[in-house]
Amino acid sequence: MVNNIIEISNLTKRYGLFTAVDKLNLSLLPGEIFGLLGPNGAGKSTTILMLMGLTEPSEGSIRVDGIDPVRNPVDVKKIVGYLPEDVGFYDNLSGLENLVYTAGLNGMSKTMAIDNAVQMLGRVGLSDEMHKKTGKYSRGMRQRLGIADVLIKKPKIIILDEPTLGIDPAGIREFLNLIVKLSREEGITVLFSSHHLHQVQQVCDRVGIFVKGKLLAAGNLDYLAKQLFSSHAYIVEARIALPEDKGKSSAVETQSHTVIERLSQVEGVAKAAFQDDLYIIECTGDITPVIAKTIVDTGFGLTYLNVKKYGLDDIYYRYFEGGYEHDQHRLSNS
Amino acid sequence: MNMINIGYQIRNFLFSSRERGFRPSRPFRVMVEKEVADHIRSWRFIILVILIFLTCAGSLYTALSSIQKVTEKATADDPFFFLRLFTVSDGTLPPFFVFISFLGPLLGISMGFDAVNSEYNRGTLSRVLAQPIPRDYIINAKFVAALTVIGIMVFALSFLVMGAGLLAIGIPPTVEEFMRIIVFTLFSVIYIAFWLNLSVFFSIRFKQPATSALSGIAIWLFFVVFYPLIVNIITRAFEPSEYAHPRAIFLFEKFKFALVQVMPNELYNEVVSTLLTPTVRSLGPLSMEQLQGAIPGPVPLGQSLMIIWPQVTGLIAITAICFVLSYLSFMRREIRSR
């Protein structure tokens, strides 16, 4: 049994009548990369603030490596590096000076701070710009400096709040690779909040979907997919060459009718439909070969076949849809 | 053998205690150093220094040019000749201490009005708060740093005026005069610290630096311009006639005096005029009986300090209140990224 490094139980935060975080239960294993995924205003940042002891929870308890951030925020901050959303630096100081200052706040002596800062700047690829004022840094450089700033205290856990906001795609990839590399090399636990599912999908071991202050589901992608799409997790798309006399809609109709009828008889097919020249076949398992054979057997020419596995995209939208519907429901009830 | 042992123990104690005491205070020292560096490098501070140096040079010049006329009228062996450098003026420019009481608030307000909100607006506050430091370090460091800078500056000015005066008139100050000037400078720093704390408090309350600067200046103007006016209106309603009972007149004067004591600038003026004019024996109203038998003459520094003790306590108290207010509102605040 591995001890959880972050343990959140029944965490609630209210602002007046508004509940920002509602009975959240979450635990993180040491060394994993956890993605907290949710739309804006879902309570991700509030949860992070409570983890850091920057705001007090209304109810519930938090343990970060066994420490309660409400009682001992300073001890928590010793082992947790936090990169806030839209991080700022002292623009009149250089990147190196900014890092040396942070190192000093962590109790390092001047020489040690400079050594560490230079080393960290090298790791995030800012060695050439370390004497430049941070006011002249680009967005991506600031974010990388932010990572260096977080790492300089040699944390056990790093928490990144919307770290990829406002960086170009190439920068994002570089940034995410850096995080994964650091986490794997040093065994740092990473909690990563974002509303960009693709980025979360790329790097996270586990994902928590967070909507309206509630954690709707948490787990790895396969688990989430299974939980959501237990009946038909696979979709096969197929296109069939249209009949010769395509001007006549009746010919197309007959063709599609035949194909759908045949497909529906195949074991494992939950639903088959014809939409915009495409056959969309929802299946319980990966039965693409069987479907291909069935279509070929009908005598029509198969021109295109594609298996669609559910990505986080669909999971994300499915959940948000659910959340939204749930909300509408609540509204109509009240 | 025993001695060596004791010596070793003492050294061990000193060394370990230094090490023990040094560790936790290191982040705080780093913060203060950074704040001081920020102040000194900022254009704002440079402009303020130039402004204050110029006005002080001006007031020193007028003091020197008029000191002859003043001293001719005074007795030849005036024991507090040197102090006049700080109080005398020919009317074109106010004397040194008036300048300090006028520019001090400006200095305090301008050093503190963006202390916390600018950090917030730059997004550095949440990053600094994520470091393993107690939250109060931030405002404590800001306060200590600004106070250090102000203290050094005010003392430097005071010593410069003393030195220039010494060169110009060639009469060295007595120990008593020197002590009075030191105490005067010290209380000036406390007075400026009050305005500094007030503006730090506003910088926590208001997100926009402009709002917080304006609030500080508004309070200052209120006390300098409007409050005396209000006091005037109130007291006029209660003013007893010329032929009223002496006790009624005395009580009225006391009431008037008490109303004025709320003003920080008035407290400071009373403190400073008592310190720099040793002949002042009382600040409030005195009855004829109290004055009977008094020999006019200067009082020693200790007695001057006794006279202004309530005012000094008041100044320190309002400074502390401002600090507590900023402490309370800062410690309970939720710091989000910008």
Side-chain angles (χ1 to χ4, degrees):
Chain A
M1 176 80 203
V2 194
N3 285 327
N4 294 325
I5 192 149
I6 295 181
E7 186 79 65
I8 301 174
S9 53
N10 262 328
L11 188 68
T12 304
K13 175 75 184 178
R14 287 186 211 96
Y15 294 102
L17 288 175
F18 174 68
T19 309
V21 178
D22 195 2
K23 297 201 185 68
L24 174 68
N25 288 295
L26 181 68
S27 36
L28 262 65
L29 298 169
E32 76 173 332
I33 304 181
F34 188 89
L36 208 52
L37 188 62
N40 295 327
K44 291 173 299 195
S45 298
T46 311
T47 308
I48 289 173
L49 287 184
M50 287 190 279
L51 275 176
M52 294 298 297
L54 292 176
T55 184
E56 281 180 31
S58 310
E59 269 167 42
S61 73
I62 309 171
R63 288 290 176 280
V64 179
D65 202 21
I67 309 164
D68 182 358
V70 179
R71 295 197 165 271
N72 296 314
V74 175
D75 288 341
V76 168
K77 287 169 190 169
K78 272 181 197 155
I79 56 162
V80 183
Y82 167 52
L83 182 65
E85 184 183 345
D86 194 9
V87 63
F89 292 95
Y90 297 106
D91 289 347
N92 53 337
L93 300 180
S94 70
L96 181 66
E97 284 166 329
N98 266 296
L99 281 196
V100 169
Y101 181 55
T102 308
L105 294 186
N106 282 285
M108 285 183 208
S109 68
K110 189 103 185 171
T111 45
M112 201 174 142
I114 292 172
D115 284 352
N116 273 320
V118 170
Q119 194 197 333
M120 286 302 155
L121 283 164
R123 287 191 77 166
V124 298
L126 285 174
S127 295
D128 297 337
E129 280 96 354
M130 66 177 166
H131 294 297
K132 208 161 130 183
K133 297 254 189 286
T134 47
K136 296 202 173 83
Y137 274 28
S138 73
R139 191 65 204 245
M141 282 158 74
R142 290 164 83 89
Q143 217 63 16
R144 274 186 282 160
L145 184 62
I147 285 286
D149 186 72
V150 162
L151 290 173
I152 200 158
K153 66 163 92 162
K154 308 217 181 321
K156 278 189 183 174
I157 305 167
I158 56 181
I159 298 179
L160 310 168
D161 195 357
E162 304 274 3
T164 52
L165 226 59
I167 320 180
D168 59 72
I172 289 176
R173 201 184 313 130
E174 207 179 303
F175 184 80
L176 293 177
N177 289 340
L178 182 67
I179 292 172
V180 175
K181 197 173 139 221
L182 288 169
S183 168
R184 300 285 180 255
E185 277 174 8
E186 322 220 337
I188 300 173
T189 313
V190 180
L191 178 66
F192 177 135
S193 101
S194 178
H195 57 249
H196 284 291
L197 35 119
H198 292 293
Q199 298 158 12
V200 171
Q201 199 169 15
Q202 271 176 45
V203 296
C204 297
D205 299 325
R206 283 203 304 147
V207 178
I209 295 184
F210 210 60
V211 178
K212 307 244 173 214
K214 284 194 163 120
L215 191 70
L216 293 180
N220 58 25
L221 288 179
D222 287 343
Y223 173 77
L224 283 182
K226 245 179 232 155
Q227 217 181 11
L228 260 175
F229 308 100
S230 52
S231 54
H232 23 265
Y234 290 89
I235 285 184
V236 178
E237 291 173 331
R239 188 179 289 134
I240 293 173
L242 293 171
E244 295 288 301
D245 45 351
K246 48 182 137 183
K248 285 184 185 172
S249 58
S250 59
V252 181
E253 228 167 81
T254 337
Q255 188 200 32
S256 64
H257 207 77
T258 329
V259 173
I260 287 173
E261 204 176 308
R262 287 281 190 89
L263 285 173
S264 305
Q265 286 160 5
V266 176
E267 202 183 326
V269 172
K271 202 180 151 203
F274 182 62
Q275 261 178 22
D276 306 327
D277 288 358
L278 267 182
Y279 290 89
I280 295 164
I281 307 138
E282 295 182 13
C283 329
T284 47
D286 192 358
I287 49 163
T288 331
V290 185
I291 288 168
K293 192 172 179 294
T294 314
I295 293 172
V296 172
D297 284 349
T298 58
F300 299 116
L302 178 64
T303 55
Y304 169 77
L305 195 68
N306 180 32
V307 189
K308 233 172 111 183
K309 207 178 158 187
Y310 273 113
L312 204 52
D313 238 339
D314 309 82
I315 298 170
Y316 190 60
Y317 287 123
R318 180 66 74 101
Y319 265 120
F320 286 178
E321 225 173 80
Y324 180 71
E325 272 167 19
H326 182 69
D327 231 49
Q328 292 292 91
H329 187 66
R330 220 173 15 195
L331 277 177
S332 60
N333 271 0
S334 60
Chain B
M1 181 68 200
N2 213 4
M3 286 300 283
I4 293 167
N5 208 3
I6 289 170
Y8 176 75
Q9 271 181 349
I10 289 172
R11 209 189 61 181
N12 202 17
F13 172 74
L14 284 177
F15 189 69
S16 66
S17 74
R18 195 206 292 157
E19 213 170 35
R20 234 183 289 136
F22 186 66
R23 270 271 151 225
S25 69
R26 158 118 187 118
F28 187 69
R29 232 188 53 187
V30 170
M31 291 175 87
V32 172
E33 276 168 14
K34 185 201 159 278
E35 294 295 331
V36 169
D38 275 357
H39 278 309
I40 292 173
R41 285 187 202 146
S42 70
W43 274 107
R44 177 196 328 176
F45 183 71
I46 295 168
I47 291 168
L48 276 171
V49 167
I50 293 171
L51 195 70
I52 290 172
F53 263 93
L54 281 181
T55 47
C56 288
S59 72
L60 185 67
Y61 174 75
T62 57
L64 285 175
S65 60
S66 59
I67 204 159
Q68 258 182 327
K69 280 173 240 156
V70 177
T71 44
E72 271 162 19
K73 276 180 249 157
T75 48
D77 50 356
D78 185 351
F80 296 102
F81 182 73
F82 201 81
L83 282 182
R84 285 175 184 273
L85 271 180
F86 289 80
T87 54
V88 155
S89 156
D90 64 356
T92 49
L93 272 177
F96 183 78
F97 84 93
V98 175
F99 259 123
I100 293 287
S101 83
F102 182 75
L103 288 175
L106 191 70
L107 182 67
I109 290 169
S110 60
M111 299 277 281
F113 75 92
D114 63 347
V116 175
N117 50 18
S118 75
E119 293 253 357
Y120 181 82
N121 292 336
R122 277 184 293 181
T124 48
L125 189 58
S126 57
R127 196 169 58 85
V128 171
L129 275 176
Q131 309 308 328
I133 46 159
R135 193 182 265 210
D136 56 338
Y137 271 23
I138 291 181
I139 42 175
N140 292 353
K142 297 233 172 244
F143 178 66
V144 169
L147 199 64
T148 312
V149 172
I150 289 171
I152 290 173
M153 186 170 145
V154 174
F155 268 94
L157 268 180
S158 220
F159 286 140
L160 275 178
V161 170
M162 255 200 277
L166 193 60
L167 283 178
I169 58 179
I171 305 166
T174 59
V175 175
E176 164 103 16
E177 280 174 314
F178 182 72
M179 287 312 290
R180 276 177 185 272
I181 290 167
I182 294 292
V183 175
F184 152 74
T185 316
L186 193 69
F187 288 153
S188 301
V189 173
I190 292 176
Y191 176 59
I192 297 171
F194 161 70
W195 292 103
L196 173 72
N197 263 332
L198 188 73
S199 70
V200 167
F201 171 63
F202 284 135
S203 87
I204 295 170
R205 290 266 9 131
F206 301 115
K207 281 208 177 123
Q208 294 300 326
T211 317
S212 101
L214 207 62
S215 321
I217 290 172
I219 296 246
W220 174 50
L221 278 181
F222 173 76
F223 279 126
V224 170
V225 180
F226 299 108
Y227 190 76
L229 206 72
I230 294 169
V231 168
N232 216 348
I233 293 166
I234 294 173
T235 50
R236 201 170 288 167
F238 294 105
E239 195 161 5
S241 78
E242 230 178 296
Y243 309 105
H245 192 272
R247 182 145 185 85
I249 296 174
F250 180 73
L251 280 177
F252 169 73
E253 287 296 328
K254 264 225 129 98
F255 172 63
K256 209 163 134 186
F257 181 70
L259 277 182
V260 174
Q261 297 307 300
V262 181
M263 297 156 63
N265 46 329
E266 179 62 27
L267 290 180
Y268 174 72
N269 283 344
E270 285 167 5
V271 166
V272 167
S273 56
T274 310
L275 278 173
L276 294 181
T277 327
T279 45
V280 172
R281 341 194 90 219
S282 167
L283 290 167
L286 284 177
S287 63
M288 281 311 276
E289 297 95 74
Q290 280 171 309
L291 277 175
Q292 214 161 34
I295 304 157
V299 289
L301 176 60
Q303 293 303 310
S304 286
L305 282 176
M306 295 283 270
I307 294 169
I308 57 170
W309 201 244
Q311 277 75 13
V312 171
T313 317
L315 262 185
I316 294 174
I318 51 174
T319 311
I321 286 170
C322 282
F323 192 72
V324 166
L325 282 179
S326 33
Y327 202 87
L328 282 181
S329 61
F330 187 67
M331 295 304 274
R332 295 175 53 197
R333 162 144 328 168
E334 177 184 299
I335 308 292
R336 291 202 163 247
S337 48
R338 68 186 133 158

